[in-house]
Amino acid sequence: MKIAVIGQSLFGQEVYCHLREEGHEVVGVFTVPDKDGKADPLGLKADEDGVPVFKFPRWRARGQALPNVVAAYQALGAELNVLPFCSQLIPTEIISAPRHGSIIYHPSLLPRHRGASAIHNWIRGNDKVPGAWTEACGQKLTFFGSTLSTEGLVPEGETLPIPGAHRPGVVTEAGLILFGNDDRMLLVKNIQLEDGKMIPASQFFRGADSTGLELTEEDLVMAEAVRGAWKRILPNVLEVEDSTDFFKSGAASVDVVRLVEEVKELCDGLELENEDIYMATTFGDFIQLLVRKMRGDNTESKCVIDHVEKTVNKLTLRMPHQLFIGGAFVDAEGAKTYETINPTDGSVICQVSLAQVSDVDQAVAAAKDAFEHGLWGKISARDRGRLLYRLADLMEKHQEELATIEALDAGAVYTLALKTHVGMSVQTFRYFAGWCDKIQGATIPINQARPHRNLTMTRKEPIGVCGIVIPWNYPLMMLSWKTAACLAAGNTVVIKPAQVTPLTALKLAELTLKAGIPKGVINILPGSGSVVGQRLSDHPDVRKIAFTGSTEVGKHIMKSCAVSNVKKVSLELGGKSPLIIFADCDLRKAVQMGMSSVFFNKGENCIAAGRLFVEDSIHDQFVQRVVEEVGKMKIGSPLNRDTTHGPQNHEAHLRKLVEYCQRGVKEGATLVCGGNQVPRPGFFFEPTVFTDVEDHMFIAQQESFGPVMIISRFANGDVDAVLSRANATEFGLASGVFTRDISKALYVSDKLEAGTVFVNTYNKTDVAAPFGGFKQSGFGKDLGEAALNEYLRVKTVTFEY
Amino acid sequence: MATTNGAVENGQPDRKSTALPRPVRNLEVKFTKIFINNEWNESKSGKKFATYNPSTLEKICEVEEGDKLDVDKAVEAAQAAFQRGSPWRRLDALSRGRLLHQLADLVERDRAVLATLETMDTGKPFLHAFFIDLEGCIKTLRYFAGWADKIQGRTIPTDDNVVCFTRHEPIGVCGAITPWNFPLLMLVWKLAPALCCGNTVVVKPAEQTPLTALYLGSLIKEVGFPQGVVNIVPGFGPTVGAAISSHPQINKIAFTGSTEVGKLVKEAASHSNLKRVTLELGGKNPCIVCADADLDLAVECAHQGVFFNQGQCCTAASRVFVEEQVYDEFVRRSVEFAKKRSIGDPFDVRTEQGPQIDQKQFNKILDLIESGKKEGAKLEYGGSAMEDRGLFIKPTVFSEVTDTMRIAKEEIFGPVQPILKFKNIEEVIKRANSLEYGLTAAVFTKNLDKALKLASALESGTVWINCYNAIYAQAPFGGFKMSGNGRELGEYALAEYTEVKTVTIKLDDKDP
């Protein structure tokens, strides 16, 4: 067949070559005039083959076809026009002149141009620009990266009315789905807006992505190299700045190819698609895209975060509120949500996605894929450490925002949140980042199987997908304690924050994206224990559960872990930690530490001293001083800088505390002060002190998890008696002793049955010191080197030679 | 770079390479004085010495020449910085780690400057300096930064009614004397663990190559290490080196250099105050190529193993034992590699080999080459200096080398590859172990039995199997026998920079 080819670019050249290979005769090629002395590749190739080449700058003037152009065209006697990547306005008389009409052939529609059979005519009439386009939502949208292979695609999502179409388009996760008259689906991946910016079609209804990646030194070196390439390609631009637009600076399609090639050379063989360049047309965006690609991230799922914005504490908080799965914030199944409440005034902060069983399954699958096939498992331990360091740096950078969110969501006193909730979280990530390349196995001398010899070595491997279920008292810090060790060991993780305090966890998720932690490594699912926690414990692909919470739930989790697939478990459960104060102590310090042992973080502290045993001779003096100190406590909004006592975490907890104190009074303990809700909005509870508490009483045995000091006295000098009372509990999380006597201090620390003993201090936890309970307070350690073992499995390799 | 199997000195090349780095043009040398108390001092004697660019033989600049009095001043500063209650001693371990991390950040920032200085001063190819020396420095700093808050003592079960535990405490003022072959990297190997453990340091960089150490001083100041924590005194061995080795207030010394000087250092250390000593000395490292080895890999690794850094490596593969079946082929291919090695301007990206460090080394290498010829080794390639240029020596390959020749016994520290022949494993083990050196050894074989047998039989601090110069910040490095004492890098290095204190508390025997 005699064919006229009208078009340009490498793509045009390829189409031209294919046509000739198929045995068609190309009678002439019409392409664009040379730019800056550069001939278009289509024209070049045709020239080589001796095919007549025409380079008319235009075909029409004032609505009329130019006669000389038409004449040149007609002289060729073409039977078909093929228009690959044609950017010129071709008059209708040319389009309809040949016997077989015209085929408009554009790579955006058929990125891998699978052959002429796939050409369809629904874009006829819209051939004024390269790429199919339509008008919708009041602006012109140009479609790129379309495909007809839509098998398995479900057209679910927001509809996009398209004038003239018999059925509206649908914006789905995969892109924009358009329907032909035959109702066949066409999937459009990218949409170019009127201002030239291209966005993923799936995000048409969402705002622009604002999560810029932090660039490392290395990235910056790369950026400079790429800036050089831009300068070479765009000689007319004096300075390439972040806002410099590739196309607006005069780049043509052939320059796109050149940029792809330059990037391949500068960035260690990184292969971009042409579409990538249309997706990120400014230099700044382009560098972000490169860095994402270099870090193994996929732009197709480039994360767009729907933030809830609030201005609080002189800050604008931007809080993600959806599930975080596979590196993206997504709605829960059925778009289920719940309200998270500000305990300071009982108001709703925002709606949060409520994860369902299917969401857990998806998150576990993402974590499993990230563990087995992702970059996470391939990078060196050292690089893993670098990523965690970077995350810690970002957390530090966002510390005010994180602390404010914690104050809002958990009622944490802001100043405390800054130092402890957030401050220690940052330290925890830094500490474990340092462990990554120091997790050493051993070589072990074993008996030799003579005459052969043997060599045994151990390797410490990550376990796989871990589930982490954390409580509401220190939402971010508990998450960090477990997650940092878990990731340092090389695992991937699905985290369930407490249902009542999900927001700092989700903010952290956003920071992990910025830090460049590969997608799927961390997944976060706000939701209920009975659904999300249960499914994690039951899930056959989860190999380890780490839980902090109540003993009751801990038992249930352990059982589920056993029944499902014998998961490794570590549990950090309740406590009723004894604090023994001997008469020979520094009383001033004992009062001060005794106060914080109970009232720190509103008593919502698993290591809170649940019982104080005070030696008879100083008992009354101790109580008197404590009551004085309680009087000085400042109850108020956690955001006020002078507040020392904030609201309890949530309403149900407050109700339980009221009951707890009523029971204490009923059983005969002396209520010295407090015991009631504070008469003001929100969930505030008075700092409370009980004395004359006897061992059989409910409040002597059960954890309050609130600001309730329980004081009992013990006979002067009777160390062993007080020890046996202190140990007469099924809990064994922490304990404390105040004495100046070195022998007594060491003796008591030896005899106390608890995972932590504080001597002349309290609450002095540190990222480097292991933390965890004895007895029914659980097993396994957070923090310190010991925590790594909770997330590692040891493989023994034995050779014979 | 150093080897072809992916590993390089002190770590692996990064996954992603960026565009080739460029040296800094017309670099002005800013730091040429003695660094004490975070300040730049002139020498007490008023003397200066010149440092030269070995590829052009031009003087780069003059550097203040330290002597005993300057060392005394530096030690005084270091001691003050180590006093109980000083800002450095009060710093939490975690914050010490942060400072080291920040130092790594600055080294990364100024990487091109440091690599340029290193190339000017040593003549090593710029890309090697950038990708190997500097990469190693950054990784080592970061690795030890992570250790700072993980140096743990123990609690120990004992017999009586006592509580017994250990504390790992810094030693105090540490001396460091570093060589000219990897000036900054060898310094960082010492500095990073010393600071990580909480010590203070007095450094003597090699007189041939003081510039990068001094530049690092400026970064240490910029990061905010308290004054006196790191002090750098450029000068000569018999003056500054001797003063450090014998200084009664220096509690530990780490030295990298020749075995000959190492002995002097240890002697001075014991005569003065029995200071703790770590030595990383010479080597005459066997590289054993079995007939079943991947010959392409073995030839290339052996080649890079000996010629890397102009042969100026303590790890140089300077005794290549090749099994007789593949001997001729191995020699043939090794000569091909030597012929291809490009020699020239170290700032040229194509250059693999620059000049030797100075005239003295140059003469020594040529003398050993002559001895090889005289003693009957077969000169396959090279064997002389480049005719037209100063300190450049042609890559030299000798075959038919026997154990008694000088080139098979003495450390050459130059681009000379002596290739020996062996018949069986027992024989080669014996021959490989026959010298007083024991730094590294390499084995090329595909056979697991042979690999493990040789790994256990060879008397050296490191055994590389099917790789060469695979040095990592995480893995200890050091010598057996007269190749040294102690270990650098890895967790093991921490033991060289800490004293263990056992605390035993007797409890009342009567009931509480």
Side-chain angles (χ1 to χ4, degrees), chain B residues 173-177 200-203 244 250-255 497:
Chain B
V173 181
C174 299
I177 301 179
T200 58
V201 186
V202 175
V203 179
I244 291 176
I250 290 182
N251 302 323
K252 188 246 151 71
I253 181 151
F255 169 77
Y497 289 94

Side-chain angles (χ1 to χ4, degrees), chain A residues 218 268 382 389 431 438 743, chain B residues 14-15 101 143 150 508:
Chain A
E218 219 170 74
D268 197 24
R382 174 203 296 281
Y389 270 119
Y431 174 79
K438 300 175 182 67
S743 264
Chain B
D14 261 3
R15 255 179 311 111
H101 259 301
Y143 175 75
K150 299 173 184 69
D508 283 348

Side-chain angles (χ1 to χ4, degrees), chain B residues 347-400:
Chain B
F347 282 111
D348 187 326
V349 290
R350 288 159 300 189
T351 296
E352 286 180 275
Q353 184 174 322
Q356 306 308 126
I357 189 73
D358 60 14
Q359 193 69 42
K360 192 175 146 209
Q361 288 293 323
F362 178 83
N363 293 345
K364 186 188 135 196
I365 296 161
L366 288 180
D367 176 49
L368 275 160
I369 290 175
E370 287 312 311
S371 81
K373 293 177 190 166
K374 264 193 225 129
E375 291 179 341
K378 184 175 170 201
L379 179 67
E380 296 276 356
Y381 186 71
S384 61
M386 302 288 286
E387 292 78 13
D388 53 340
R389 269 166 282 174
L391 297 176
F392 293 80
I393 293 178
K394 289 179 190 161
T396 298
V397 180
F398 279 109
S399 66
E400 292 173 26

Side-chain angles (χ1 to χ4, degrees), chain A residues 609-650:
Chain A
R611 280 195 84 179
L612 276 68
F613 296 95
V614 184
E615 197 159 3
D616 196 39
S617 62
I618 58 162
H619 176 273
D620 295 349
Q621 200 188 349
F622 180 85
V623 172
Q624 182 211 331
R625 291 223 205 160
V626 160
V627 173
E628 271 169 31
E629 289 297 318
V630 167
K632 292 181 201 159
M633 286 174 73
K634 178 89 174 60
I635 301 173
S637 161
L639 290 171
N640 290 345
R641 299 302 188 264
D642 62 346
T643 294
T644 54
H645 186 76
Q648 303 309 133
N649 190 278
H650 50 282

Side-chain angles (χ1 to χ4, degrees), chain B residues 303-428:
Chain B
H303 171 83
Q304 296 291 0
V306 71
F307 291 111
F308 173 60
N309 208 40
Q310 297 69 248
Q312 302 167 149
C313 293
C314 47
T315 62
S318 60
R319 282 192 293 159
V320 186
F321 292 96
V322 182
E323 200 163 358
E324 59 180 353
Q325 297 95 308
V326 294
Y327 186 82
D328 293 342
E329 180 62 13
F330 184 93
V331 170
R332 191 184 66 74
R333 294 202 210 173
S334 294
V335 170
E336 270 174 32
F337 262 96
K339 281 181 183 164
K340 276 187 289 185
R341 197 164 183 83
S342 56
I343 304 172
D345 175 7
F347 282 111
D348 187 326
V349 290
R350 288 159 300 189
T351 296
E352 286 180 275
Q353 184 174 322
Q356 306 308 126
I357 189 73
D358 60 14
Q359 193 69 42
K360 192 175 146 209
Q361 288 293 323
F362 178 83
N363 293 345
K364 186 188 135 196
I365 296 161
L366 288 180
D367 176 49
L368 275 160
I369 290 175
E370 287 312 311
S371 81
K373 293 177 190 166
K374 264 193 225 129
E375 291 179 341
K378 184 175 170 201
L379 179 67
E380 296 276 356
Y381 186 71
S384 61
M386 302 288 286
E387 292 78 13
D388 53 340
R389 269 166 282 174
L391 297 176
F392 293 80
I393 293 178
K394 289 179 190 161
T396 298
V397 180
F398 279 109
S399 66
E400 292 173 26
V401 177
T402 58
D403 293 359
T404 53
M405 294 177 185
R406 281 181 65 202
I407 55 170
K409 292 191 298 196
E410 294 176 28
E411 187 173 35
I412 303 170
F413 234 60
V416 181
Q417 182 175 40
I419 308 177
L420 301 85
K421 192 185 285 184
F422 77 92
K423 287 199 170 73
N424 68 59
I425 293 286
E426 286 306 324
E427 168 214 330
V428 79

